[in-house]
Amino acid sequence: MRRSQEPGLWALFSAGGMLAALVLPVLVAVLWIAAPLGWVELPTHANLRALIGHPLTRLVLFAVVSLALFHWAHRFRYTLYDGLQLYHLNQLIAIITYGTATVGTMVTGYALVVFP
Amino acid sequence: MPDTVTLEVQRYRPEEETGPAWQRYEVPFRPEWMVLDALNYIKDHLDGTLSYRWACRMGVCGSCGMLVNGEPVLTCATYLEELPHGSIRVEPLRGFPVIRDLIFDLTDFLNKLKRVSPWLVRKKEQPVADGEYRQTPDQLAEYKQYSMCINCMLCYSACPIYELEPEFIGPAAIALAQRYNHDSRDEGVQARMDVLSQHDGIWACTFVGECSAVCPTNVDPAAAIQRYKLSATLDWVKSTVLPWGKR
Ligand code: SF4
């Protein structure tokens, strides 16, 4: 990995980590704890459809999913690289991990655009 | 309360042994004793050939760092009483070449430290007649935490990356670079950035955080590195992504 790419990859990694840390606990608390316990009313299917119909929601979803994927890619790359000490596979690992995140980002983008 | 405690000490005398060997010593157990007091007892009463570094006995000089039961600690700040009873294992800090017994070689760190210009870099010194470079308490607070480093090397010994990638410049060198970067009198930020924005600078760090967990003076090198990563990323954005940026 050339040096010039490291700050960019780290920026995606840390942005993904921060977004996931902000968004996921709220989602879990609302949908998996508060709603089943009856503290809040579960949104109906129609509510959620209306919510996702809004372009801003799609933009936020796109950011959360793609950045979380890049967060995973960076973490997993170093888990393989340092954790399993696969130094000689550095290039291949980078291509697979960031490649997966890139493909996931494109699929997410496509899905959010074509979803009615 | 036991009367004595056994210290298992790693020995290495290059003229006698080809590799590290263990030696057991039985020393009196005193609740007010630190591990270093037990080593000094050995040196004074049992075996004058045991070699180790120490000086101040009060956590300031940073020279008595060792692995005690596998943990990097200052031996002058670790009570015998705090350790599980039974025998206590004392080894040189992990990750460094051993010179003799508990004494390890610091050359690698000293060379790395030099690379980050750990002093106030000035393009031009102001004339002495102009007086001191003044600083407000807030400006002092910006870097004071990083200036508490006593070069004890516990953070290098705790860092798994330093062990795996010996080229990594390491926690204390980065914290010390930050000590000067955040000093209002310093003008060396860019020179240090050029060294530390390489892979063997900050980017080898994967934020394990053990350095900050073992640091006896709460320098928090892990935070210093994360803060530097942010600065380096902003610097990178300015110089490569924004076409009107510098360079
Ligand atoms: S940063 Fe802390 S642990 Fe590392 S050398 Fe300095 S004082 Fe020791």
Side-chain angles (χ1 to χ4, degrees), chain B residues 191-212:
Chain B
R192 292 187 201 102
M193 180 68 79
D194 293 342
V195 173
L196 288 173
S197 59
Q198 309 291 329
H199 178 79
D200 62 6
I202 45 177
W203 299 114
C205 166
T206 54
F207 200 12
V208 176
E210 274 302 301
C211 51
S212 292

Side-chain angles (χ1 to χ4, degrees), chain B residues 83-96:
Chain B
L83 300 166
H85 294 285
S87 71
I88 296 170
R89 251 179 322 116
V90 185
E91 299 161 75
L93 284 182
R94 175 176 42 227
F96 301 93

Side-chain angles (χ1 to χ4, degrees), chain A residues 3-4 6 10 82 85 87, chain B residues 161 164 197 199 203 233 236:
Chain A
R3 113 166 228 241
S4 58
E6 302 228 34
W10 182 80
D82 284 326
Q85 296 176 33
Y87 300 122
Chain B
I161 303 296
L164 294 169
S197 59
H199 178 79
W203 299 114
T233 303
W236 170 79

Side-chain angles (χ1 to χ4, degrees), chain B residues 148-155 172 211 214-217 219 221:
Chain B
M148 304 308 281
C149 175
I150 55 174
N151 301 349
C152 67
M153 300 294 102
L154 299 193
C155 53
C211 51
V214 299
C215 177
T217 55
V219 170

